[in-house]
Amino acid sequence: MPKERSGNHFIDAMVVAINGGTIFLGNNLEVSLEELTDSERWEFQYSLLED
């Protein structure tokens, strides 16, 4: 689950689909893989596949 760092607020969103280089988040937001891997803008929270 990624968390967007945007000013003084955060946006938590779940990845619901991936189509090529486009990532679809649960809050109806579409981002590119390059944008999502920008650590100054996004923070990886956790994966449901992790134990």
Side-chain angles (χ1 to χ4, degrees):
M1 176 176 292
K3 175 188 272 188
E4 183 181 20
R5 304 172 188 194
S6 180
N8 294 330
H9 68 281
F10 293 95
I11 299 171
D12 289 320
M14 182 180 298
V15 174
V16 295
I18 301 171
N19 184 5
T22 303
I23 314 298
F24 299 89
L25 303 177
N27 61 351
N28 293 324
L29 183 64
E30 295 179 24
V31 295
S32 68
L33 180 57
E34 293 79 23
E35 181 182 351
L36 193 58
T37 56
D38 179 356
S39 62
E40 291 185 15
R41 183 164 181 195
W42 292 93
E43 175 182 326
F44 181 73
Q45 296 293 297
Y46 61 87
S47 171
L48 295 176
L49 299 177
E50 292 179 356
D51 292 328

